Amino acid sequence: MTNGYEINVEDIKKDFPIFKINMSGKPLVYLDSAATSQKPQQVIDSIVKYYSEYNANIHRGIYDIAERATEEYTNSKEKLANLIGANSVRNIVYVRNTTEAINLVALSWGNTNIEKGDHILISDMEHHSNLVPWQLLAKRKGAILDYIKLDSNNEKFDMENFKENLEKNPKIVAVTHASNVLGTINDVKYITKEAKKHGSVVLVDGAQSAPHIPVNVKSIGCDFFALSAHKMLGPTGIGALYGTEEILSSMEPLFGGGDMIDAVTRYSHSWNSLPWKFEAGTSNIEGGIAFGAAIDYLNTVGMEKIRRHEEKLVKYALESLESIKNIEIYGPKKDETSIKSGVVSFGINGAHPHDVAEIFNSEGIAIRAGHHCAMPLVTEVLRKGAVSRMSFYLYNNEEDIDKAVAAISKVKKIFHLE
Ligand code: PMP
């Protein structure tokens, strides 16, 4: 560990088998954790262990391995509840991902609570998964979709504009905790407090925050919080919707079937208790169990430490990039790393982001280029067709950033740029 970093990246990397591979004949430098994170051996092993030692359906059998599967799956929810400061597993609904969590709210809560002419408030920083479900709901109901504008630097919310929008008493305010393009960490506690003064329900998209910064849903005060396991060292196909007991109890299940019922007669049924009333059919059992293993891993390192590590890295990256000519950086800059997650989007004047990503690939570096599923932000606000993005996690270090900077020099050389 050097320069005050508290995480020993060399040791961490040993837990992630992917770092044994080469890409384009070079050791993999993975700078795309905002898309999906890599998985430690402990998470991979937990899946193998489930299938080879106690594979059985949950909530059904009373034999030993079925009870163990049920216990491990429920334990995983308990771990998640603790990680994000929820009261209990009753607040944690397992779904496929953040997208499904938000759609569940828009469909179940939205269908009952939104009427013609109601306002729904989101922002100009949203990923499509916290945007399209609200467009669909607004269309179904004849509701009005409003956007919190960004400040003049396109870095943060324009708080005056947020307050103006609140005057319309939106039924729901749904905003991202951390932007997957700008890296901006929004003050969702303050946003929730202000929105509550207007009687709004608040949903926080935690896809980019839960993996990287300590989260406490009770301290935020939101009604809903959505996240994806695959961005936090866990497997794909599992994510969670946190909801307060009050709001989840008031909602109807979206799907009917096995496991979500208490009793069924020919013409009626009653619902299972929370959170199971929202989980119809056989769950992603391996996913839930492996998500538990991912949370164990995060806890062993410590969320505070992960955040400090990424803040140092992002500062280093911004300092390095800001000194390069003809580079445009989007989102908060090096003097505002306290509100910047480990996401750095940039453009090199004169080179298309897709070409940049190709050249990075030839150096063994994985970055993403495109609109990052945030088209209104990238095309309408930033007025770009695409941007390049590097994103960091606990297995990245300054050496990775130095390699990225060297790749930028290569881009400039190939395109004869200054
Ligand atoms: N919200 C944000 C801010 C995201 O970055 C992402 C993933 N890129 C999502 C939502 C959607 O996550 P998922 O694809 O896992 O549903």
Side-chain angles (χ1 to χ4, degrees), residues 34-35 97-100 127 129 176 178 180 205 207-208 228 230-231:
N97 46 36
T98 304
T99 305
E100 188 172 300
H127 185 280
S129 72
T176 193
N180 65 316
D205 172 351
Q208 297 293 348
S228 296
H230 71 93
K231 293 188 199 282

Side-chain angles (χ1 to χ4, degrees), residues 72-80 94 288-289 291-292 295:
E72 295 281 347
Y73 185 79
T74 311
N75 277 350
S76 151
K77 289 196 178 199
E78 188 107 38
K79 289 172 190 174
L80 181 60
Y94 270 174
I289 290 169
F291 190 14
I295 295 168

Side-chain angles (χ1 to χ4, degrees), residues 81-145:
N82 288 335
L83 184 79
I84 63 169
N87 282 335
S88 77
V89 298
R90 289 172 64 81
N91 305 105
I92 307 290
V93 179
Y94 270 174
V95 288
R96 280 188 304 143
N97 46 36
T98 304
T99 305
E100 188 172 300
I102 298 171
N103 276 278
L104 195 164
V105 175
L107 286 162
S108 170
W109 179 89
N111 275 4
T112 331
N113 291 283
I114 296 289
E115 290 169 8
K116 193 171 187 315
D118 282 347
H119 286 263
I120 296 168
L121 182 57
I122 61 171
S123 86
D124 265 345
M125 231 188 245
E126 302 309 318
H127 185 280
H128 297 161
S129 72
N130 194 30
L131 193 163
V132 181
W134 306 115
Q135 285 183 344
L136 289 167
L137 175 63
K139 197 165 171 209
R140 277 199 304 278
K141 296 288 189 163
I144 301 152
L145 189 58

Side-chain angles (χ1 to χ4, degrees), residues 301-416:
V301 181
M303 291 308 300
E304 301 272 357
K305 254 195 204 171
I306 292 173
R307 170 61 191 147
R308 286 197 293 270
H309 182 77
E310 290 183 27
E311 192 179 343
K312 265 183 93 65
L313 274 185
V314 86
K315 199 176 186 76
Y316 182 75
L318 290 169
E319 278 166 1
S320 307
L321 293 191
E322 283 171 31
S323 65
I324 302 174
K325 266 203 219 151
N326 286 320
I327 270 208
E328 205 175 347
I329 295 161
Y330 311 106
K333 310 291 185 293
K334 65 170 186 259
D335 51 343
E336 281 194 305
T337 53
S338 65
I339 56 151
K340 179 118 175 159
S341 70
V343 167
V344 179
S345 291
F346 63 98
I348 304 174
N349 297 336
H352 192 282
H354 287 128
D355 293 328
V356 174
E358 281 283 345
I359 293 165
F360 270 61
N361 178 55
S362 71
E363 292 298 310
I365 309 171
I367 61 163
R368 186 162 165 203
H371 53 62
H372 307 281
C373 297
M375 281 184 87
L377 170 62
V378 172
T379 61
E380 294 176 44
V381 178
L382 301 178
R383 299 188 171 280
K384 300 285 164 193
V387 300
S388 302
R389 180 185 73 189
M390 310 188 224
S391 51
F392 313 125
Y393 212 175
L394 72 174
Y395 37 65
N396 292 117
N397 56 17
E398 291 189 357
E399 203 183 309
D400 296 338
I401 294 164
D402 293 342
K403 287 183 180 168
V405 169
I408 291 173
S409 301
K410 188 174 172 190
V411 172
K412 289 191 152 190
K413 210 164 159 196
I414 289 173
F415 287 96
H416 307 291

